[in-house]
PDB file of all heavy atoms in Angstrom:
ATOM      1  N   ILE A  20      13.289  41.652  -5.270  1.00  0.00           N
ATOM      2  CA  ILE A  20      12.786  42.761  -4.456  1.00  0.00           C
ATOM      3  C   ILE A  20      12.727  42.388  -2.974  1.00  0.00           C
ATOM      4  O   ILE A  20      11.992  43.004  -2.202  1.00  0.00           O
ATOM      5  CB  ILE A  20      11.398  43.201  -4.946  1.00  0.00           C
ATOM      6  CG1 ILE A  20      10.412  42.021  -4.906  1.00  0.00           C
ATOM      7  CG2 ILE A  20      11.473  43.813  -6.330  1.00  0.00           C
ATOM      8  CD1 ILE A  20       8.993  42.410  -5.245  1.00  0.00           C
ATOM      9  N   ASP A  21      13.523  41.411  -2.580  1.00  0.00           N
ATOM     10  CA  ASP A  21      13.545  41.015  -1.173  1.00  0.00           C
ATOM     11  C   ASP A  21      14.485  41.954  -0.399  1.00  0.00           C
ATOM     12  O   ASP A  21      14.784  43.060  -0.839  1.00  0.00           O
ATOM     13  CB  ASP A  21      13.998  39.562  -1.065  1.00  0.00           C
ATOM     14  CG  ASP A  21      13.560  38.916   0.241  1.00  0.00           C
ATOM     15  OD1 ASP A  21      12.905  39.617   1.038  1.00  0.00           O
ATOM     16  OD2 ASP A  21      13.880  37.732   0.457  1.00  0.00           O
ATOM     17  N   GLU A  22      14.965  41.535   0.746  1.00  0.00           N
ATOM     18  CA  GLU A  22      15.862  42.352   1.553  1.00  0.00           C
ATOM     19  C   GLU A  22      17.261  42.449   0.951  1.00  0.00           C
ATOM     20  O   GLU A  22      18.004  43.389   1.251  1.00  0.00           O
ATOM     21  CB  GLU A  22      15.961  41.782   2.974  1.00  0.00           C
ATOM     22  CG  GLU A  22      14.739  42.016   3.828  1.00  0.00           C
ATOM     23  CD  GLU A  22      14.505  43.496   4.105  1.00  0.00           C
ATOM     24  OE1 GLU A  22      15.474  44.219   4.402  1.00  0.00           O
ATOM     25  OE2 GLU A  22      13.345  43.932   3.999  1.00  0.00           O
ATOM     26  N   THR A  23      17.627  41.479   0.112  1.00  0.00           N
ATOM     27  CA  THR A  23      18.984  41.459  -0.433  1.00  0.00           C
ATOM     28  C   THR A  23      19.323  42.724  -1.217  1.00  0.00           C
ATOM     29  O   THR A  23      20.397  43.310  -0.995  1.00  0.00           O
ATOM     30  CB  THR A  23      19.185  40.219  -1.308  1.00  0.00           C
ATOM     31  OG1 THR A  23      18.934  39.046  -0.528  1.00  0.00           O
ATOM     32  CG2 THR A  23      20.598  40.170  -1.855  1.00  0.00           C
ATOM     33  N   PRO A  24      18.500  43.207  -2.160  1.00  0.00           N
ATOM     34  CA  PRO A  24      18.881  44.423  -2.889  1.00  0.00           C
ATOM     35  C   PRO A  24      18.971  45.654  -1.999  1.00  0.00           C
ATOM     36  O   PRO A  24      19.792  46.539  -2.257  1.00  0.00           O
ATOM     37  CB  PRO A  24      17.785  44.572  -3.942  1.00  0.00           C
ATOM     38  CG  PRO A  24      16.642  43.794  -3.429  1.00  0.00           C
ATOM     39  CD  PRO A  24      17.237  42.658  -2.669  1.00  0.00           C
ATOM     40  N   LYS A  25      18.159  45.745  -0.962  1.00  0.00           N
ATOM     41  CA  LYS A  25      18.231  46.891  -0.057  1.00  0.00           C
ATOM     42  C   LYS A  25      19.570  46.919   0.662  1.00  0.00           C
ATOM     43  O   LYS A  25      20.256  47.952   0.712  1.00  0.00           O
ATOM     44  CB  LYS A  25      17.086  46.836   0.957  1.00  0.00           C
ATOM     45  CG  LYS A  25      15.696  46.774   0.344  1.00  0.00           C
ATOM     46  CD  LYS A  25      14.643  46.631   1.425  1.00  0.00           C
ATOM     47  CE  LYS A  25      13.248  46.485   0.862  1.00  0.00           C
ATOM     48  NZ  LYS A  25      13.063  45.276   0.043  1.00  0.00           N
ATOM     49  N   ILE A  26      19.950  45.768   1.228  1.00  0.00           N
ATOM     50  CA  ILE A  26      21.224  45.697   1.944  1.00  0.00           C
ATOM     51  C   ILE A  26      22.399  45.866   0.988  1.00  0.00           C
ATOM     52  O   ILE A  26      23.399  46.520   1.315  1.00  0.00           O
ATOM     53  CB  ILE A  26      21.314  44.363   2.710  1.00  0.00           C
ATOM     54  CG1 ILE A  26      20.229  44.313   3.795  1.00  0.00           C
ATOM     55  CG2 ILE A  26      22.685  44.172   3.323  1.00  0.00           C
ATOM     56  CD1 ILE A  26      20.175  43.010   4.558  1.00  0.00           C
ATOM     57  N   LEU A  27      22.291  45.303  -0.213  1.00  0.00           N
ATOM     58  CA  LEU A  27      23.379  45.411  -1.184  1.00  0.00           C
ATOM     59  C   LEU A  27      23.588  46.855  -1.618  1.00  0.00           C
ATOM     60  O   LEU A  27      24.735  47.300  -1.794  1.00  0.00           O
ATOM     61  CB  LEU A  27      23.081  44.530  -2.398  1.00  0.00           C
ATOM     62  CG  LEU A  27      24.141  44.525  -3.503  1.00  0.00           C
ATOM     63  CD1 LEU A  27      25.477  44.034  -2.961  1.00  0.00           C
ATOM     64  CD2 LEU A  27      23.686  43.661  -4.673  1.00  0.00           C
ATOM     65  N   LEU A  28      22.513  47.607  -1.799  1.00  0.00           N
ATOM     66  CA  LEU A  28      22.644  48.999  -2.214  1.00  0.00           C
ATOM     67  C   LEU A  28      23.357  49.824  -1.142  1.00  0.00           C
ATOM     68  O   LEU A  28      24.237  50.636  -1.445  1.00  0.00           O
ATOM     69  CB  LEU A  28      21.258  49.580  -2.502  1.00  0.00           C
ATOM     70  CG  LEU A  28      21.227  50.899  -3.273  1.00  0.00           C
ATOM     71  CD1 LEU A  28      21.746  50.704  -4.685  1.00  0.00           C
ATOM     72  CD2 LEU A  28      19.812  51.468  -3.297  1.00  0.00           C
ATOM     73  N   ILE A  29      22.990  49.609   0.115  1.00  0.00           N
ATOM     74  CA  ILE A  29      23.665  50.317   1.208  1.00  0.00           C
ATOM     75  C   ILE A  29      25.102  49.829   1.345  1.00  0.00           C
ATOM     76  O   ILE A  29      26.018  50.607   1.634  1.00  0.00           O
ATOM     77  CB  ILE A  29      22.880  50.135   2.516  1.00  0.00           C
ATOM     78  CG1 ILE A  29      21.444  50.645   2.349  1.00  0.00           C
ATOM     79  CG2 ILE A  29      23.557  50.868   3.657  1.00  0.00           C
ATOM     80  CD1 ILE A  29      20.553  50.385   3.553  1.00  0.00           C
ATOM     81  N   PHE A  30      25.309  48.533   1.129  1.00  0.00           N
ATOM     82  CA  PHE A  30      26.661  47.959   1.179  1.00  0.00           C
ATOM     83  C   PHE A  30      27.581  48.647   0.171  1.00  0.00           C
ATOM     84  O   PHE A  30      28.717  49.020   0.501  1.00  0.00           O
ATOM     85  CB  PHE A  30      26.581  46.458   0.906  1.00  0.00           C
ATOM     86  CG  PHE A  30      27.908  45.790   0.696  1.00  0.00           C
ATOM     87  CD1 PHE A  30      28.622  45.295   1.772  1.00  0.00           C
ATOM     88  CD2 PHE A  30      28.428  45.640  -0.581  1.00  0.00           C
ATOM     89  CE1 PHE A  30      29.856  44.675   1.580  1.00  0.00           C
ATOM     90  CE2 PHE A  30      29.644  45.026  -0.784  1.00  0.00           C
ATOM     91  CZ  PHE A  30      30.372  44.540   0.296  1.00  0.00           C
ATOM     92  N   LEU A  31      27.106  48.835  -1.047  1.00  0.00           N
ATOM     93  CA  LEU A  31      27.937  49.459  -2.073  1.00  0.00           C
ATOM     94  C   LEU A  31      28.228  50.923  -1.750  1.00  0.00           C
ATOM     95  O   LEU A  31      29.310  51.428  -2.060  1.00  0.00           O
ATOM     96  CB  LEU A  31      27.244  49.346  -3.435  1.00  0.00           C
ATOM     97  CG  LEU A  31      27.143  47.934  -4.016  1.00  0.00           C
ATOM     98  CD1 LEU A  31      26.329  47.938  -5.304  1.00  0.00           C
ATOM     99  CD2 LEU A  31      28.531  47.353  -4.256  1.00  0.00           C
ATOM    100  N   SER A  32      27.284  51.614  -1.129  1.00  0.00           N
ATOM    101  CA  SER A  32      27.523  53.010  -0.781  1.00  0.00           C
ATOM    102  C   SER A  32      28.545  53.144   0.347  1.00  0.00           C
ATOM    103  O   SER A  32      29.252  54.155   0.423  1.00  0.00           O
ATOM    104  CB  SER A  32      26.209  53.681  -0.380  1.00  0.00           C
ATOM    105  OG  SER A  32      25.704  53.125   0.819  1.00  0.00           O
ATOM    106  N   CYS A  33      28.635  52.135   1.221  1.00  0.00           N
ATOM    107  CA  CYS A  33      29.608  52.169   2.321  1.00  0.00           C
ATOM    108  C   CYS A  33      30.964  51.600   1.909  1.00  0.00           C
ATOM    109  O   CYS A  33      31.985  51.919   2.539  1.00  0.00           O
ATOM    110  CB  CYS A  33      29.086  51.383   3.524  1.00  0.00           C
ATOM    111  SG  CYS A  33      27.572  52.020   4.263  1.00  0.00           S
ATOM    112  N   PHE A  34      30.986  50.761   0.885  1.00  0.00           N
ATOM    113  CA  PHE A  34      32.197  50.008   0.554  1.00  0.00           C
ATOM    114  C   PHE A  34      33.328  50.911   0.073  1.00  0.00           C
ATOM    115  O   PHE A  34      34.466  50.816   0.570  1.00  0.00           O
ATOM    116  CB  PHE A  34      31.866  48.956  -0.508  1.00  0.00           C
ATOM    117  CG  PHE A  34      33.029  48.088  -0.897  1.00  0.00           C
ATOM    118  CD1 PHE A  34      33.314  46.948  -0.168  1.00  0.00           C
ATOM    119  CD2 PHE A  34      33.832  48.413  -1.971  1.00  0.00           C
ATOM    120  CE1 PHE A  34      34.381  46.144  -0.515  1.00  0.00           C
ATOM    121  CE2 PHE A  34      34.902  47.621  -2.321  1.00  0.00           C
ATOM    122  CZ  PHE A  34      35.184  46.479  -1.596  1.00  0.00           C
ATOM    123  N   ALA A  35      33.054  51.793  -0.876  1.00  0.00           N
ATOM    124  CA  ALA A  35      34.113  52.605  -1.478  1.00  0.00           C
ATOM    125  C   ALA A  35      34.799  53.526  -0.465  1.00  0.00           C
ATOM    126  O   ALA A  35      36.037  53.584  -0.439  1.00  0.00           O
ATOM    127  CB  ALA A  35      33.549  53.403  -2.651  1.00  0.00           C
ATOM    128  N   PRO A  36      34.074  54.280   0.381  1.00  0.00           N
ATOM    129  CA  PRO A  36      34.784  55.121   1.363  1.00  0.00           C
ATOM    130  C   PRO A  36      35.670  54.325   2.315  1.00  0.00           C
ATOM    131  O   PRO A  36      36.776  54.767   2.655  1.00  0.00           O
ATOM    132  CB  PRO A  36      33.648  55.826   2.110  1.00  0.00           C
ATOM    133  CG  PRO A  36      32.486  55.775   1.202  1.00  0.00           C
ATOM    134  CD  PRO A  36      32.622  54.497   0.446  1.00  0.00           C
ATOM    135  N   LEU A  37      35.207  53.153   2.737  1.00  0.00           N
ATOM    136  CA  LEU A  37      36.007  52.345   3.651  1.00  0.00           C
ATOM    137  C   LEU A  37      37.275  51.832   2.970  1.00  0.00           C
ATOM    138  O   LEU A  37      38.369  51.883   3.545  1.00  0.00           O
ATOM    139  CB  LEU A  37      35.173  51.175   4.168  1.00  0.00           C
ATOM    140  CG  LEU A  37      34.077  51.512   5.175  1.00  0.00           C
ATOM    141  CD1 LEU A  37      33.167  50.311   5.402  1.00  0.00           C
ATOM    142  CD2 LEU A  37      34.677  51.968   6.496  1.00  0.00           C
ATOM    143  N   ALA A  38      37.147  51.333   1.748  1.00  0.00           N
ATOM    144  CA  ALA A  38      38.313  50.791   1.045  1.00  0.00           C
ATOM    145  C   ALA A  38      39.335  51.879   0.736  1.00  0.00           C
ATOM    146  O   ALA A  38      40.544  51.696   0.938  1.00  0.00           O
ATOM    147  CB  ALA A  38      37.861  50.099  -0.243  1.00  0.00           C
ATOM    148  N   LEU A  39      38.873  53.031   0.258  1.00  0.00           N
ATOM    149  CA  LEU A  39      39.804  54.106  -0.087  1.00  0.00           C
ATOM    150  C   LEU A  39      40.450  54.706   1.157  1.00  0.00           C
ATOM    151  O   LEU A  39      41.620  55.101   1.120  1.00  0.00           O
ATOM    152  CB  LEU A  39      39.063  55.186  -0.884  1.00  0.00           C
ATOM    153  CG  LEU A  39      38.533  54.735  -2.251  1.00  0.00           C
ATOM    154  CD1 LEU A  39      37.823  55.884  -2.952  1.00  0.00           C
ATOM    155  CD2 LEU A  39      39.658  54.194  -3.124  1.00  0.00           C
ATOM    156  N   ALA A  40      39.715  54.784   2.256  1.00  0.00           N
ATOM    157  CA  ALA A  40      40.306  55.300   3.493  1.00  0.00           C
ATOM    158  C   ALA A  40      41.382  54.363   4.019  1.00  0.00           C
ATOM    159  O   ALA A  40      42.446  54.807   4.481  1.00  0.00           O
ATOM    160  CB  ALA A  40      39.214  55.511   4.541  1.00  0.00           C
ATOM    161  N   ALA A  41      41.122  53.057   3.959  1.00  0.00           N
ATOM    162  CA  ALA A  41      42.130  52.093   4.412  1.00  0.00           C
ATOM    163  C   ALA A  41      43.359  52.130   3.514  1.00  0.00           C
ATOM    164  O   ALA A  41      44.502  52.072   4.002  1.00  0.00           O
ATOM    165  CB  ALA A  41      41.528  50.693   4.441  1.00  0.00           C
ATOM    166  N   ARG A  42      43.152  52.253   2.212  1.00  0.00           N
ATOM    167  CA  ARG A  42      44.296  52.326   1.293  1.00  0.00           C
ATOM    168  C   ARG A  42      45.125  53.583   1.545  1.00  0.00           C
ATOM    169  O   ARG A  42      46.359  53.543   1.569  1.00  0.00           O
ATOM    170  CB  ARG A  42      43.804  52.318  -0.152  1.00  0.00           C
ATOM    171  CG  ARG A  42      44.933  52.236  -1.167  1.00  0.00           C
ATOM    172  CD  ARG A  42      44.436  52.471  -2.575  1.00  0.00           C
ATOM    173  NE  ARG A  42      44.021  53.853  -2.778  1.00  0.00           N
ATOM    174  CZ  ARG A  42      43.628  54.345  -3.953  1.00  0.00           C
ATOM    175  NH1 ARG A  42      43.573  53.552  -5.013  1.00  0.00           N
ATOM    176  NH2 ARG A  42      43.270  55.603  -4.064  1.00  0.00           N
ATOM    177  N   SER A  43      44.454  54.711   1.763  1.00  0.00           N
ATOM    178  CA  SER A  43      45.178  55.952   2.037  1.00  0.00           C
ATOM    179  C   SER A  43      45.898  55.903   3.374  1.00  0.00           C
ATOM    180  O   SER A  43      47.008  56.429   3.520  1.00  0.00           O
ATOM    181  CB  SER A  43      44.203  57.134   2.003  1.00  0.00           C
ATOM    182  OG  SER A  43      44.836  58.330   2.358  1.00  0.00           O
ATOM    183  N   GLY A  44      45.279  55.267   4.370  1.00  0.00           N
ATOM    184  CA  GLY A  44      45.897  55.212   5.685  1.00  0.00           C
ATOM    185  C   GLY A  44      47.152  54.360   5.735  1.00  0.00           C
ATOM    186  O   GLY A  44      48.005  54.558   6.615  1.00  0.00           O
ATOM    187  N   MET A  45      47.292  53.414   4.816  1.00  0.00           N
ATOM    188  CA  MET A  45      48.471  52.559   4.830  1.00  0.00           C
ATOM    189  C   MET A  45      49.749  53.326   4.516  1.00  0.00           C
ATOM    190  O   MET A  45      50.847  52.828   4.746  1.00  0.00           O
ATOM    191  CB  MET A  45      48.297  51.404   3.831  1.00  0.00           C
ATOM    192  CG  MET A  45      47.150  50.469   4.158  1.00  0.00           C
ATOM    193  SD  MET A  45      47.264  49.763   5.812  1.00  0.00           S
ATOM    194  CE  MET A  45      48.620  48.629   5.578  1.00  0.00           C
ATOM    195  N   ARG A  46      49.631  54.532   3.999  1.00  0.00           N
ATOM    196  CA  ARG A  46      50.800  55.361   3.712  1.00  0.00           C
ATOM    197  C   ARG A  46      51.076  56.375   4.816  1.00  0.00           C
ATOM    198  O   ARG A  46      51.899  57.284   4.623  1.00  0.00           O
ATOM    199  CB  ARG A  46      50.618  56.079   2.372  1.00  0.00           C
ATOM    200  CG  ARG A  46      50.433  55.123   1.202  1.00  0.00           C
ATOM    201  CD  ARG A  46      50.307  55.866  -0.116  1.00  0.00           C
ATOM    202  NE  ARG A  46      50.151  54.952  -1.235  1.00  0.00           N
ATOM    203  CZ  ARG A  46      51.149  54.376  -1.887  1.00  0.00           C
ATOM    204  NH1 ARG A  46      52.395  54.635  -1.532  1.00  0.00           N
ATOM    205  NH2 ARG A  46      50.924  53.569  -2.894  1.00  0.00           N
ATOM    206  N   SER A  47      50.376  56.267   5.934  1.00  0.00           N
ATOM    207  CA  SER A  47      50.541  57.244   7.012  1.00  0.00           C
ATOM    208  C   SER A  47      51.763  56.968   7.882  1.00  0.00           C
ATOM    209  O   SER A  47      52.253  57.875   8.546  1.00  0.00           O
ATOM    210  CB  SER A  47      49.281  57.270   7.893  1.00  0.00           C
ATOM    211  OG  SER A  47      48.142  57.646   7.139  1.00  0.00           O
ATOM    212  N   ALA A  48      52.220  55.746   7.916  1.00  0.00           N
ATOM    213  CA  ALA A  48      53.386  55.418   8.738  1.00  0.00           C
ATOM    214  C   ALA A  48      54.643  56.021   8.126  1.00  0.00           C
ATOM    215  O   ALA A  48      54.872  55.931   6.913  1.00  0.00           O
ATOM    216  CB  ALA A  48      53.529  53.911   8.872  1.00  0.00           C
ATOM    217  N   ALA A  49      55.452  56.654   8.950  1.00  0.00           N
ATOM    218  CA  ALA A  49      56.705  57.238   8.482  1.00  0.00           C
ATOM    219  C   ALA A  49      57.710  56.142   8.147  1.00  0.00           C
ATOM    220  O   ALA A  49      57.724  55.074   8.772  1.00  0.00           O
ATOM    221  CB  ALA A  49      57.275  58.178   9.543  1.00  0.00           C
ATOM    222  N   GLN A  50      58.554  56.431   7.173  1.00  0.00           N
ATOM    223  CA  GLN A  50      59.555  55.449   6.765  1.00  0.00           C
ATOM    224  C   GLN A  50      60.553  55.185   7.889  1.00  0.00           C
ATOM    225  O   GLN A  50      61.066  54.059   8.015  1.00  0.00           O
ATOM    226  CB  GLN A  50      60.295  55.948   5.521  1.00  0.00           C
ATOM    227  CG  GLN A  50      61.201  54.911   4.877  1.00  0.00           C
ATOM    228  CD  GLN A  50      60.434  53.692   4.369  1.00  0.00           C
ATOM    229  OE1 GLN A  50      59.342  53.831   3.834  1.00  0.00           O
ATOM    230  NE2 GLN A  50      61.010  52.507   4.549  1.00  0.00           N
ATOM    231  N   GLU A  51      60.789  56.189   8.745  1.00  0.00           N
ATOM    232  CA  GLU A  51      61.701  55.991   9.868  1.00  0.00           C
ATOM    233  C   GLU A  51      61.139  54.963  10.852  1.00  0.00           C
ATOM    234  O   GLU A  51      61.878  54.146  11.412  1.00  0.00           O
ATOM    235  CB  GLU A  51      61.950  57.318  10.592  1.00  0.00           C
ATOM    236  CG  GLU A  51      62.762  58.321   9.789  1.00  0.00           C
ATOM    237  CD  GLU A  51      61.915  59.041   8.763  1.00  0.00           C
ATOM    238  OE1 GLU A  51      60.674  58.822   8.765  1.00  0.00           O
ATOM    239  OE2 GLU A  51      62.479  59.815   7.956  1.00  0.00           O
ATOM    240  N   GLN A  52      59.821  54.990  11.070  1.00  0.00           N
ATOM    241  CA  GLN A  52      59.206  54.013  11.961  1.00  0.00           C
ATOM    242  C   GLN A  52      59.331  52.601  11.397  1.00  0.00           C
ATOM    243  O   GLN A  52      59.620  51.646  12.129  1.00  0.00           O
ATOM    244  CB  GLN A  52      57.736  54.364  12.187  1.00  0.00           C
ATOM    245  CG  GLN A  52      57.506  55.677  12.922  1.00  0.00           C
ATOM    246  CD  GLN A  52      56.035  56.033  12.991  1.00  0.00           C
ATOM    247  OE1 GLN A  52      55.286  55.841  12.029  1.00  0.00           O
ATOM    248  NE2 GLN A  52      55.613  56.561  14.131  1.00  0.00           N
ATOM    249  N   ILE A  53      59.110  52.474  10.092  1.00  0.00           N
ATOM    250  CA  ILE A  53      59.218  51.152   9.453  1.00  0.00           C
ATOM    251  C   ILE A  53      60.653  50.635   9.538  1.00  0.00           C
ATOM    252  O   ILE A  53      60.901  49.469   9.876  1.00  0.00           O
ATOM    253  CB  ILE A  53      58.721  51.236   7.999  1.00  0.00           C
ATOM    254  CG1 ILE A  53      57.248  51.655   7.960  1.00  0.00           C
ATOM    255  CG2 ILE A  53      58.924  49.913   7.290  1.00  0.00           C
ATOM    256  CD1 ILE A  53      56.699  51.868   6.567  1.00  0.00           C
ATOM    257  N   ASN A  54      61.621  51.504   9.225  1.00  0.00           N
ATOM    258  CA  ASN A  54      63.029  51.080   9.287  1.00  0.00           C
ATOM    259  C   ASN A  54      63.442  50.733  10.710  1.00  0.00           C
ATOM    260  O   ASN A  54      64.223  49.797  10.930  1.00  0.00           O
ATOM    261  CB  ASN A  54      63.924  52.186   8.732  1.00  0.00           C
ATOM    262  CG  ASN A  54      63.695  52.408   7.243  1.00  0.00           C
ATOM    263  OD1 ASN A  54      63.250  51.502   6.537  1.00  0.00           O
ATOM    264  ND2 ASN A  54      63.997  53.604   6.772  1.00  0.00           N
ATOM    265  N   ALA A  55      62.918  51.492  11.692  1.00  0.00           N
ATOM    266  CA  ALA A  55      63.259  51.185  13.083  1.00  0.00           C
ATOM    267  C   ALA A  55      62.714  49.826  13.486  1.00  0.00           C
ATOM    268  O   ALA A  55      63.385  49.054  14.196  1.00  0.00           O
ATOM    269  CB  ALA A  55      62.697  52.275  14.001  1.00  0.00           C
ATOM    270  N   ALA A  56      61.501  49.502  13.034  1.00  0.00           N
ATOM    271  CA  ALA A  56      60.944  48.192  13.352  1.00  0.00           C
ATOM    272  C   ALA A  56      61.749  47.076  12.696  1.00  0.00           C
ATOM    273  O   ALA A  56      62.017  46.031  13.327  1.00  0.00           O
ATOM    274  CB  ALA A  56      59.485  48.136  12.896  1.00  0.00           C
ATOM    275  N   TYR A  57      62.168  47.284  11.449  1.00  0.00           N
ATOM    276  CA  TYR A  57      62.992  46.271  10.788  1.00  0.00           C
ATOM    277  C   TYR A  57      64.346  46.112  11.494  1.00  0.00           C
ATOM    278  O   TYR A  57      64.878  44.993  11.610  1.00  0.00           O
ATOM    279  CB  TYR A  57      63.209  46.646   9.325  1.00  0.00           C
ATOM    280  CG  TYR A  57      62.061  46.272   8.413  1.00  0.00           C
ATOM    281  CD1 TYR A  57      61.525  47.196   7.527  1.00  0.00           C
ATOM    282  CD2 TYR A  57      61.531  44.983   8.420  1.00  0.00           C
ATOM    283  CE1 TYR A  57      60.476  46.864   6.686  1.00  0.00           C
ATOM    284  CE2 TYR A  57      60.489  44.636   7.592  1.00  0.00           C
ATOM    285  CZ  TYR A  57      59.960  45.580   6.719  1.00  0.00           C
ATOM    286  OH  TYR A  57      58.921  45.242   5.886  1.00  0.00           O
ATOM    287  N   SER A  58      64.912  47.222  11.949  1.00  0.00           N
ATOM    288  CA  SER A  58      66.226  47.156  12.596  1.00  0.00           C
ATOM    289  C   SER A  58      66.168  46.419  13.931  1.00  0.00           C
ATOM    290  O   SER A  58      67.181  45.894  14.393  1.00  0.00           O
ATOM    291  CB  SER A  58      66.769  48.566  12.821  1.00  0.00           C
ATOM    292  OG  SER A  58      65.947  49.280  13.731  1.00  0.00           O
ATOM    293  N   MET A  59      64.977  46.381  14.541  1.00  0.00           N
ATOM    294  CA  MET A  59      64.820  45.655  15.797  1.00  0.00           C
ATOM    295  C   MET A  59      64.398  44.206  15.591  1.00  0.00           C
ATOM    296  O   MET A  59      64.024  43.520  16.535  1.00  0.00           O
ATOM    297  CB  MET A  59      63.811  46.371  16.696  1.00  0.00           C
ATOM    298  CG  MET A  59      64.340  47.687  17.248  1.00  0.00           C
ATOM    299  SD  MET A  59      63.223  48.472  18.461  1.00  0.00           S
ATOM    300  CE  MET A  59      61.877  48.951  17.393  1.00  0.00           C
ATOM    301  N   GLY A  60      64.425  43.765  14.334  1.00  0.00           N
ATOM    302  CA  GLY A  60      64.177  42.362  14.055  1.00  0.00           C
ATOM    303  C   GLY A  60      62.750  42.009  13.716  1.00  0.00           C
ATOM    304  O   GLY A  60      62.406  40.820  13.694  1.00  0.00           O
ATOM    305  N   ALA A  61      61.882  42.997  13.455  1.00  0.00           N
ATOM    306  CA  ALA A  61      60.494  42.703  13.128  1.00  0.00           C
ATOM    307  C   ALA A  61      60.394  42.120  11.729  1.00  0.00           C
ATOM    308  O   ALA A  61      61.153  42.485  10.822  1.00  0.00           O
ATOM    309  CB  ALA A  61      59.645  43.968  13.228  1.00  0.00           C
ATOM    310  N   SER A  62      59.460  41.213  11.573  1.00  0.00           N
ATOM    311  CA  SER A  62      59.214  40.635  10.253  1.00  0.00           C
ATOM    312  C   SER A  62      58.280  41.541   9.445  1.00  0.00           C
ATOM    313  O   SER A  62      57.783  42.558   9.940  1.00  0.00           O
ATOM    314  CB  SER A  62      58.597  39.245  10.392  1.00  0.00           C
ATOM    315  OG  SER A  62      57.313  39.332  11.012  1.00  0.00           O
TER     316      SER A  62
END
């Protein structure tokens, strides 16, 4: 019943929206942009 469960509960409520938003955002780049970067020698 110390501070750890309080912070952990809020942590879990914030964790899922952040992870799912980052996962969804990784598909926002157009394939043409990715191919153009590869064609210019990007790793």
Side-chain angles (χ1 to χ4, degrees):
I20 58 174
D21 202 0
E22 286 295 317
T23 302
K25 303 176 183 63
I26 295 177
L27 181 60
L28 195 66
I29 302 175
F30 170 88
L31 292 175
S32 66
C33 298
F34 182 86
L37 287 169
L39 295 180
R42 186 190 69 175
S43 176
M45 297 304 288
R46 300 182 179 275
S47 299
Q50 189 62 39
E51 291 80 6
Q52 295 174 320
I53 299 176
N54 294 335
Y57 278 131
S58 65
M59 290 186 291
S62 64

